[in-house]
Amino acid sequence: MSVEFESEEQLNQYSSRKIFGAPETPAMIRGLKKMGVKEAYAHHTLIGIIIACVVLSIFIFVYFVIGIRSTPDANPEVIRQMELDRVRMNTSNE
């Protein structure tokens, strides 16, 4: 029993970009190159954009979903009002 692997040339002919007729260079890289940016700098720019989007997404998730926010000053009147509201909510639910 013999195992044969496809050659590198055969693997490249099944690339999704070749099957769908799309160019090998991504559209954003081509757009930056048309504006006069070197290809290496264009790659670095896109990596920077990706990192910024990930950091922004993490910030939004932590701030809005998890709710880690700075607590307001502990005003005794506000705390007392919050406790009264909580008691009213509990008694109204029963």
Side-chain angles (χ1 to χ4, degrees):
M1 182 171 175
S2 141
V3 176
E4 293 183 26
F5 295 100
E6 294 182 0
S7 67
E8 189 73 29
E9 191 174 293
Q10 289 174 331
L11 288 175
N12 287 337
Q13 76 181 8
Y14 297 114
S15 169
S16 63
R17 291 190 178 273
K18 288 184 180 179
I19 290 172
F20 294 117
E24 289 294 322
T25 307
M28 290 189 74
I29 301 290
R30 280 183 287 144
L32 287 171
K33 284 173 63 176
K34 283 181 184 177
M35 291 191 302
V37 177
K38 293 181 182 177
E39 188 171 353
Y41 186 70
H43 284 285
H44 293 122
T45 302
L46 294 179
I47 289 172
I49 291 171
I50 290 169
I51 291 171
C53 288
V54 167
V55 168
L56 182 65
S57 298
I58 291 171
F59 173 76
I60 290 172
F61 180 77
V62 168
Y63 190 77
F64 291 106
V65 176
I66 297 177
I68 298 175
R69 300 181 187 138
S70 61
T71 57
D73 293 335
N75 185 348
E77 182 62 30
V78 172
I79 293 173
R80 190 174 71 75
Q81 186 64 40
M82 288 172 57
E83 289 173 355
L84 288 173
D85 291 341
R86 189 176 306 126
V87 169
R88 287 184 193 137
M89 290 296 290
N90 288 337
T91 56
S92 67
N93 290 338
E94 293 175 354

